[in-house]
Amino acid sequence: MSAVEDGRYHLTKRKNGYYYWKRIYEKTFHSTKCRNIRDARAYINKVMSEGLQSNKVLQDYAKDFYVWGKCSWIERQQAKGKPISEKWAQSRRSHLTRYIFPEWGLRKLHQFNPVEYEKWLIGLPLQNGTKNAITYSLNIILREAKREGLIRYNPLAEVEPLANNYKKRDIFDGNELSILFPKDDEKLLAIWGERYYATLFTLMVTSGMRVGEVIALQWKHVLFDQSALVIKQAVKNDNSIGTTKSNEQRGVILPDFTIELLESWRSETLCPNDDDFIFHGLSKKDFNQPVHRRTVLNKFRDGLATAGIEIAGRNLVVHSLRHTYNTLMRTVLPQEMLRYMVGHKTEAMTDRYDQSTPENRIQGFIEEKSRINEIWSKNG
């Protein structure tokens, strides 16, 4: 029978007369090559105190991990035929820069403790699915360190995934939409504070765009003569600009009042040129950058509070605008058209629409504009 020694490891004597040990988070016992318990304890303490072959800290070891074009691990996986994309690598890298490095970057590789890590992970204000993804990203790195002989064991090997606690986003009803997005310009500005945010959130709810997509919009993407816009890019979690979530471009028909708001905002903004971001950074030095998504999330919460929208017991987040759009449009638009405009593309829809650009595809949707105007006249 094994006994826990010093709260750090298990020690047991087997029938062959030798003592075996393992760290408390490991499954496999290792021989001490000692028959005397005192010698076995001395051996274990020596191993644990000396550490391993490397005293590297995590952020030094992983400085190029998941960096496209620099990560040797990715190159090896690709050589094995594994379909690792740049988008996947960017997502994994963001786990390092946003969560892991700030907390664990200066931790030596051999000093990771799974109990301490799990306590930290559980305390993060994130969905469990995201937490599991963060662990997966770190687990690959520590597994690679073990493979290279820098650590004897991967301390995350015994960290079990957290249960899925995904919360379905709630939507806004017709009355709430009329409060949040009144057609009266003065009332609209009273809710959102200024035309910048009034336009941003009105555009989100009447287009179904994701946050990263709307803040990446440039004026050249708005087709004023067709009451539409094209979505070609998105701001990623690391604030870089890349493709949309689906890696596909698409077009969206907008109701007239959203187009009018965009025209008004363009006449006021200090950045009205085709290549300027519609929702640019707020300080003059940031005018050539999109607004930060955190600013958008904070302003959205402020707008709900100003409007007096009841949020207790509801999961109302900025992404609820996209869910609201989907729910409303399903009642009036052909499903293949809706899937295209929100970016939920299917093979059947790809076969039906064979035009190569969003500008061409949007032409086939113009006849539905009256339905789009009608639904927003009833819910605003």
Side-chain angles (χ1 to χ4, degrees):
M1 179 180 296
S2 67
V4 177
E5 297 274 335
D6 194 27
R8 298 181 299 163
Y9 61 89
H10 293 272
L11 183 64
T12 185
K13 187 176 184 180
R14 293 187 175 174
K15 292 180 179 180
N16 62 7
Y18 288 96
Y19 281 90
Y20 287 74
W21 75 289
K22 72 179 182 70
R23 290 175 173 83
I24 59 173
Y25 53 82
E26 292 182 300
K27 287 184 176 180
T28 305
F29 279 86
H30 320 282
S31 175
T32 65
K33 300 180 181 178
C34 300
R35 293 178 179 272
N36 180 284
I37 191 170
R38 181 182 299 175
D39 293 339
R41 287 170 177 163
Y43 169 82
I44 295 169
N45 287 329
K46 183 174 184 295
V47 170
M48 297 186 77
S49 63
E50 287 181 351
L52 299 137
Q53 298 176 28
S54 173
N55 280 323
K56 279 188 176 181
V57 297
L58 177 66
Q59 66 184 20
D60 289 342
Y61 174 70
K63 63 184 178 65
D64 291 330
F65 229 95
Y66 304 126
V67 177
W68 198 252
K70 292 185 177 181
C71 180
S72 59
W73 180 85
I74 288 179
E75 292 175 355
R76 194 171 75 249
Q77 304 311 305
Q78 291 176 325
K80 295 177 181 178
K82 296 184 179 180
I84 294 180
S85 68
E86 185 171 1
K87 180 180 179 181
W88 183 92
Q90 290 174 345
S91 176
R92 296 297 166 189
R93 184 66 187 181
S94 72
H95 293 157
L96 299 187
T97 57
R98 296 184 68 189
Y99 305 109
I100 297 172
F101 283 169
E103 181 70 21
W104 304 95
L106 298 179
R107 183 68 61 95
K108 291 181 180 180
L109 293 174
H110 69 271
Q111 291 179 334
F112 268 86
N113 182 294
V115 176
E116 186 181 357
Y117 174 82
E118 283 189 314
K119 288 181 179 179
W120 167 78
L121 186 71
I122 291 171
L124 290 177
L126 302 169
Q127 295 288 341
N128 282 357
T130 303
K131 294 178 183 179
N132 288 336
I134 291 171
T135 298
Y136 181 78
S137 297
L138 179 57
N139 195 33
I140 289 175
I141 294 171
L142 295 177
R143 195 168 63 215
E144 184 70 357
K146 177 179 180 294
R147 175 181 175 273
E148 294 178 3
L150 300 180
I151 54 177
R152 294 182 186 276
Y153 315 103
N154 177 2
L156 297 192
E158 306 304 320
V159 174
E160 297 179 347
L162 301 174
N164 186 4
N165 64 348
Y166 172 77
K167 293 182 180 179
K168 182 179 180 180
R169 275 89 169 189
D170 291 310
I171 65 171
F172 299 97
D173 61 30
N175 180 61
E176 290 171 329
L177 288 175
S178 66
I179 295 173
L180 286 170
F181 304 102
K183 298 302 187 297
D184 181 85
D185 192 64
E186 185 176 340
K187 293 180 179 179
L188 181 67
L189 296 182
I191 296 295
W192 300 109
E194 52 188 291
R195 194 171 302 279
Y196 181 107
Y197 295 111
T199 305
L200 189 156
F201 293 118
T202 299
L203 182 57
M204 288 191 71
V205 77
T206 57
S207 68
M209 279 191 290
R210 303 174 178 92
V211 174
E213 295 169 345
V214 73
I215 62 178
L217 281 175
Q218 296 167 285
W219 287 111
K220 63 185 178 184
H221 298 142
V222 183
L223 311 177
F224 286 100
D225 58 334
Q226 298 179 56
S227 295
L229 58 81
V230 291
I231 303 167
K232 297 187 174 185
Q233 58 191 26
V235 175
K236 304 300 184 181
N237 287 333
D238 61 359
N239 294 323
S240 65
I241 296 178
T243 62
T244 63
K245 185 176 181 179
S246 64
N247 293 321
E248 298 286 343
Q249 300 177 7
R250 66 185 193 274
V252 180
I253 298 289
L254 298 174
D256 289 339
F257 71 87
T258 302
I259 288 294
E260 292 168 3
L261 260 180
L262 283 165
E263 289 173 338
S264 296
W265 171 232
R266 193 171 193 178
S267 69
E268 294 181 15
T269 181
L270 298 176
C271 304
N273 299 320
D274 283 353
D275 288 331
D276 289 335
F277 290 103
I278 299 177
F279 305 107
H280 52 73
L282 300 180
S283 63
K284 192 171 183 179
K285 65 181 178 62
D286 294 326
F287 278 180
N288 63 338
Q289 299 291 329
V291 66
H292 198 282
R293 68 174 63 229
R294 177 55 58 186
T295 301
V296 175
L297 303 184
N298 290 338
K299 285 294 182 179
F300 181 71
R301 286 196 293 266
D302 291 344
L304 294 188
T306 301
I309 300 299
E310 181 60 47
I311 62 174
R314 303 170 70 190
N315 186 23
L316 287 175
V317 294
V318 70
H319 203 66
S320 295
L321 297 175
R322 178 172 167 85
H323 285 252
T324 300
Y325 175 86
N326 289 345
T327 301
L328 289 174
M329 292 297 115
R330 285 185 67 182
T331 65
V332 295
L333 297 182
Q335 292 305 297
E336 60 271 21
M337 175 182 172
L338 176 59
R339 284 196 296 268
Y340 171 74
M341 294 206 300
V342 298
H344 291 167
K345 201 170 182 180
T346 65
E347 183 176 353
M349 191 190 69
T350 303
D351 294 339
R352 179 170 180 178
Y353 298 98
D354 59 2
Q355 296 95 334
S356 59
T357 67
E359 289 86 349
N360 287 335
R361 287 187 177 181
I362 210 71
Q363 291 288 342
F365 299 153
I366 294 297
E367 64 185 40
E368 305 292 348
K369 181 182 174 183
S370 61
R371 297 185 184 183
I372 293 173
N373 277 325
E374 179 182 357
I375 195 69
W376 289 112
S377 66
K378 292 178 180 179
N379 291 276

